[in-house]
Amino acid sequence: MNSSSKGKIGIIGSGLIGKSWAMLFVGAGYNVVIYDIVKDQVDNALVDIGKQLAALQERGLLRGTTSAGEQFQLVGTSDNLRQCVQDAIYVQECVPESLEMKLSLFKELDSLADKETILASSSSAIPCSKFTENLTNRHRCIIAHPVNPPYYMPLVELVPSPWTEQNVIDRTRSLMTELGQSPVTLKKEVRGFIQPRIQYAIIMECLKLVEENVLDIEDVDKLVKDGLGLLSAFLGPFEMNHLNDKNGIRSFFASHLDEADSVLSTLGAPVPMDSSSPLIREISNRLESVVPVKDLVERRRWRDERLAALAKLRSDLDKDRDSC
């Protein structure tokens, strides 16, 4: 371990999420060991991390106070799970969304990791209680669900199980804040956590607007990215409406009660998200005519660059505000 490191972090899984977590931790000065059962994949992940860190530094978007080279020196790999988690202060699981896989992995992690090591899952929908109930040290397990891609999207949902100790929740939240992430802590488990629930609610209404021939597909995307999306980059829904009414949010709710009830009564039943339905096929065909599947990797790169630039803008604006 690097002598200047703050401690060791184990990353289980070398895909997109695992690589992003690794970059976040080395940016904050932690040694990282990435584990994967496929050696070629973890070797390729190491090369990709080096390229990404260098590219971020070149564009002035690298997190942390050390250089890309110094951060890259903090990344290691292993095809031995015990070696990956031994002496780690925190382990972040990033395997596919499979209950069977998580049950098996966390049982093994519980027996291999030090008793004080926090075991966190990147699960996007499966609650912690589903795969930790029968573990000996289940109290140290928690969900730390990132938004994809985690390096550019600071939100992390912390979802404890009924038996997760408060100390584990506090330590995880403190660690996420140290990384430069923006953690929110759920007070109890709910199906789908929170970010996906809001995302599903938005996509469901968007599907209805297309199905009922209210808007074209392109205009639905424009409605969000050029409207609510711009405000949402700096404000949450409560503060947004607090500012929209001259007398604040209480006045907003009072003045919009009847209108809101009227609109909400027309929402109706959810539209089935059946990939074989005519509606989904129409949307898919339209999107693929604009961004073919073969171009998705390049388009994601375009997205990530803009997210990184937006994150830098937000950071600069926050600094300006704090100096006022």
Side-chain angles (χ1 to χ4, degrees):
M1 182 185 296
N2 189 304
S3 60
S4 62
S5 166
K6 296 179 179 179
K8 176 182 175 182
I9 305 293
I11 305 288
I12 313 301
S14 60
L16 173 63
I17 301 299
K19 289 185 292 186
S20 291
W21 276 119
M23 291 164 61
L24 287 169
F25 278 108
V26 298
Y30 289 91
N31 260 100
V32 167
V33 177
I34 306 173
Y35 165 84
D36 205 300
I37 57 175
V38 183
K39 188 177 188 305
D40 286 347
Q41 184 165 312
V42 77
D43 289 343
N44 291 336
L46 190 61
V47 172
D48 188 48
I49 287 171
K51 290 179 178 178
Q52 287 195 59
L53 291 174
L56 287 164
Q57 178 172 282
E58 186 177 339
R59 299 198 304 272
L61 300 174
L62 185 70
R63 293 207 196 186
T65 58
T66 55
S67 70
E70 290 172 312
Q71 292 184 23
F72 186 66
Q73 290 300 312
L74 295 174
V75 187
T77 64
S78 178
D79 58 2
N80 183 297
L81 187 60
R82 181 185 294 274
Q83 289 178 356
C84 175
V85 303
Q86 188 175 28
D87 299 324
I89 60 175
Y90 179 94
V91 172
Q92 185 75 41
E93 167 265 303
C94 309
V95 304
E97 197 75 356
S98 162
L99 179 56
E100 289 185 3
M101 189 176 293
K102 292 183 190 295
L103 280 166
S104 174
L105 176 60
F106 270 78
K107 182 178 181 180
E108 196 170 1
L109 289 174
D110 195 40
S111 67
L112 295 176
D114 298 342
K115 285 185 168 52
E116 293 302 312
T117 302
I118 294 175
L119 302 181
S121 171
S122 299
S123 172
S124 60
I126 304 173
C128 195
S129 59
K130 292 290 186 182
F131 53 88
T132 65
E133 182 175 7
N134 297 318
L135 300 183
T136 302
N137 301 295
R138 64 182 188 174
H139 63 276
R140 42 90 170 262
C141 299
I142 190 170
I143 299 292
H145 170 227
V147 180
N148 190 24
Y151 194 86
Y152 308 104
M153 300 286 281
L155 180 69
V156 180
E157 292 183 286
L158 302 182
V159 192
S161 71
W163 42 80
T164 304
E165 288 186 350
Q166 185 62 47
N167 175 259
V168 170
I169 300 171
D170 294 342
R171 287 166 58 199
T172 304
R173 187 176 178 109
S174 176
L175 181 59
M176 293 298 112
T177 301
E178 183 187 356
L179 299 186
Q181 298 302 88
S182 180
V184 296
T185 305
L186 277 65
K187 297 179 181 179
K188 60 181 179 180
E189 292 182 333
V190 294
R191 188 179 181 90
F193 310 149
I194 303 302
Q195 172 77 15
R197 289 170 71 95
I198 295 173
Q199 190 171 351
Y200 289 147
I202 293 173
I203 195 67
M204 188 56 56
E205 181 59 20
C206 291
L207 286 172
K208 286 185 178 182
L209 292 171
V210 175
E211 182 183 55
E212 297 173 2
N213 200 30
V214 177
L215 281 176
D216 289 333
I217 294 166
E218 293 85 350
D219 281 350
V220 171
D221 275 346
K222 190 185 297 183
L223 182 80
V224 175
K225 72 176 183 178
D226 294 336
L228 284 174
L230 289 177
L231 282 171
S232 297
F234 301 96
L235 300 169
F238 292 137
E239 186 178 5
M240 186 187 302
N241 288 304
H242 188 53
L243 298 179
N244 280 345
D245 191 291
K246 66 178 183 179
N247 294 313
I249 195 165
R250 184 186 291 271
S251 174
F252 168 82
F253 282 121
S255 60
H256 288 77
L257 175 62
D258 292 340
E259 178 188 351
D261 285 346
S262 177
V263 171
L264 292 172
S265 68
T266 69
L267 294 184
V271 176
M273 290 200 291
D274 181 357
S275 61
S276 63
S277 70
L279 174 63
I280 301 300
R281 285 204 304 270
E282 178 191 358
I283 294 172
S284 177
N285 290 338
R286 192 74 64 86
L287 267 293
E288 289 176 16
S289 71
V290 177
V291 184
V293 173
K294 66 180 180 64
D295 295 336
L296 285 176
V297 171
E298 184 59 35
R299 187 64 170 174
R300 290 188 189 109
R301 188 176 294 113
W302 170 89
R303 173 202 65 188
D304 292 350
E305 288 176 352
R306 277 148 184 78
L307 285 172
L310 179 60
K312 186 175 187 303
L313 173 63
R314 283 170 38 129
S315 176
D316 291 344
L317 290 174
D318 286 344
K319 290 176 183 176
D320 289 343
R321 182 190 63 186
D322 293 341
S323 64
C324 291

